[in-house]
Amino acid sequence: MALPKNTQSIQVKAGSSSYPVICGAGSLSPLSELLITHAGVGPLFVLSSPRVWNFCGPKIRHALKGANVSRVILFDDHESAKTPRAVEMLCRKLIRAGARRNATIVAAGGGVVGDIAGFVAATFLRGVSLVHVPTTLLAQVDSAIGGKTGVNLPEGKNLVGAFHQPKLVVCDPTLLNSLPERQFRAGLFEVVKYAAIADQRLFELMEAKLTGISRHDMRALMEIILRCVKIKAAIVGRDEREDGGRAVLNFGHTLGHALETVTNYRHFLHGEAVGWGMLAASLVSVALGKLDPDVAARMIRMIAGVERLPALSKTSATRILDVMQRDKKSREGIVRWVLPIGIGRAEYGAAVPQESFRRVWAALPEWERKAREAECLGAEYRA
Ligand code: GLY
């Protein structure tokens, strides 16, 4: 089928399946046709949240005109509600609403909606079809692509989940117009992640155009979304189940997940926790002699320029280390980090001595303050 002008289709060729990510302003309008082409004609069950549906519901409903929508089910999409209990509740609602194996779940929302709805699709009746319509920047550039689904436990983030690839992802940046500012900026941290690990040009673009991007300049926004989607498609295509290189996408997530866990998923948005995590990983990398201090200074200025990060909670390094050891990325109790080694280059699987982390942890708030006040000089980053 013909796609609207200025819309691109990027194919994710994961080992278990291959599917398009349709990107562009207006890509939502042919949603009904896209669903038939990629997910078939079975009944659709739209899973979303009250706040997403409030802002984006009318547009999505309009795009679904003529489609076989059986039910719209809304649920709490705060990170603290991303629990096994939410999955049980949704599965029970689905079965009572008549969903059977020919159902397609349409996840319309941000990262939490996508993760929960994705996990429901992976497990309900042993798996039904899934389509993502991401409505936040974070979900458009990252979480809706690649098949990771899951929920949190009090013991740690995303500790229960499954890989379940969608049949289709539709990223329409016009949906971001109604996104609360804090949510938008939290998504920008994931864009910084892609730039830092894989795309020097994207990093430079962010440095040059952060103001325009922050004002939702549609051209700039499209460019950054497309770059991130292409990077993610390539990485997932090489390593669908994170047996190796996909781990690089966890830059900033080792500490980020621990921060979310120790604050009961209530203090940071995911992207913000990742912002702190990238800042820490950059400093750790300098301390281990893997990253030039001037390059770290650029990274930290970029992170601090996206948003003033919520204050770190009064948590000890020991507690954070304890939570990080339970993370999926640790092996034999050794925490594995993704460390930047240049702009657009990172290594994964790095073991970081506890002492190095403790020193960085103690200094983190001061670095963030300095970066915000643009006082940071490269040499200062030497531990
Ligand atoms: N968000 C990291 C990944 O999809 O692997």
Side-chain angles (χ1 to χ4, degrees):
M1 58 169 291
L3 291 172
K5 213 169 134 248
N6 299 328
T7 298
Q8 288 195 37
S9 174
I10 295 123
Q11 199 68 19
V12 180
K13 295 181 187 132
S16 62
S17 65
S18 176
Y19 56 94
V21 181
I22 314 286
C23 289
S27 56
L28 195 63
S29 40
L31 183 61
S32 298
E33 279 175 78
L34 286 167
L35 280 162
I36 291 172
T37 308
H38 297 283
V41 291
L44 305 170
F45 291 81
V46 181
L47 267 48
S48 187
S49 77
R51 53 183 176 169
V52 169
W53 210 242
N54 193 21
F55 289 119
C56 303
K59 265 191 171 178
I60 298 173
R61 263 192 192 288
H62 184 74
L64 284 170
K65 249 198 180 124
N68 184 12
V69 179
S70 266
R71 190 72 61 97
V72 177
I73 302 174
L74 305 183
F75 61 97
D76 184 359
D77 66 351
H78 290 93
E79 190 70 45
S80 55
K82 206 176 101 175
T83 61
R85 183 179 281 267
V87 175
E88 181 190 347
M89 180 272 291
L90 286 168
C91 288
R92 292 181 65 189
K93 284 195 173 178
L94 283 168
I95 201 78
R96 290 202 302 264
R100 299 295 179 259
R101 277 198 163 146
N102 62 345
T104 293
I105 304 256
V106 179
V112 173
V113 167
D115 283 6
I116 297 179
F119 189 52
V120 167
T123 49
F124 180 69
L125 305 179
R126 299 209 175 90
V128 296
S129 296
L130 171 67
V131 168
H132 282 293
V133 180
T135 61
T136 64
L137 181 60
L138 185 140
Q140 293 194 353
V141 298
D142 189 62
S143 62
I145 305 156
K148 279 190 182 176
T149 73
V151 292
N152 305 325
L153 296 179
E155 288 78 7
K157 172 115 172 157
N158 295 340
L159 289 186
V160 178
F163 286 96
H164 189 64
Q165 300 294 345
K167 302 276 184 206
L168 165 74
V169 183
V170 178
C171 294
D172 189 332
T174 64
L175 287 174
L176 306 181
N177 290 338
S178 53
L179 194 61
E181 185 61 19
R182 186 176 169 203
Q183 288 275 353
F184 180 78
R185 289 187 182 264
L188 283 177
F189 288 114
E190 289 280 358
V191 179
V192 172
K193 175 189 87 175
Y194 280 97
I197 61 169
D199 191 343
Q200 182 169 359
R201 173 79 193 107
L202 177 58
F203 197 91
E204 288 161 2
L205 204 79
M206 293 282 288
E207 284 181 323
K209 295 194 179 167
L210 192 56
T211 315
I213 293 165
S214 302
R215 289 195 194 122
H216 295 219
D217 175 272
M218 210 34 85
R219 271 173 75 115
L221 211 49
M222 257 320 290
E223 185 166 359
I224 62 169
I225 292 171
L226 273 171
R227 280 185 173 269
C228 293
V229 170
K230 284 177 184 167
I231 296 167
K232 180 125 195 199
I235 291 176
V236 171
R238 290 194 293 269
D239 177 20
E240 181 185 7
R241 297 177 70 92
E242 203 172 300
D243 296 319
R246 181 169 179 168
V248 81
L249 292 170
N250 296 326
F251 176 42
H253 286 59
T254 308
L255 176 60
H257 280 179
L259 285 174
E260 289 182 86
T261 304
V262 300
T263 53
N264 299 318
Y265 311 103
R266 289 177 194 278
H267 185 59
F268 301 98
L269 295 179
H270 173 64
E272 295 166 345
V274 169
W276 276 119
M278 293 190 293
L279 208 157
S282 303
L283 292 172
V284 164
S285 198
V286 174
L288 299 185
K290 291 173 186 282
L291 183 64
D292 182 288
D294 293 318
V295 177
R298 268 176 82 190
M299 295 237 191
I300 293 170
R301 267 199 298 271
M302 168 76 80
I303 294 161
V306 166
E307 185 202 32
R308 179 166 191 177
L309 289 164
L312 289 176
S313 47
K314 289 191 179 60
T315 307
S316 69
T318 305
R319 169 98 172 97
I320 291 283
L321 280 163
D322 187 43
V323 174
M324 288 199 297
Q325 268 155 13
R326 288 202 294 262
D327 193 86
K328 295 186 295 309
K329 299 177 282 297
S330 73
R331 295 274 181 281
E332 289 97 36
I334 298 173
V335 182
R336 301 288 167 185
W337 287 69
V338 180
L339 297 179
I341 53 175
I343 302 283
R345 290 185 306 130
E347 66 172 44
Y348 60 90
V352 172
Q354 290 200 359
E355 236 358 84
S356 306
F357 171 71
R358 285 178 192 279
R359 270 201 296 274
V360 163
W361 174 255
L364 267 186
E366 185 59 9
W367 284 120
E368 196 263 354
R369 185 190 63 74
K370 280 188 194 174
R372 254 190 302 113
E373 293 168 6
E375 287 173 9
C376 51
L377 303 168
E380 286 187 73
Y381 286 80
R382 286 182 216 284

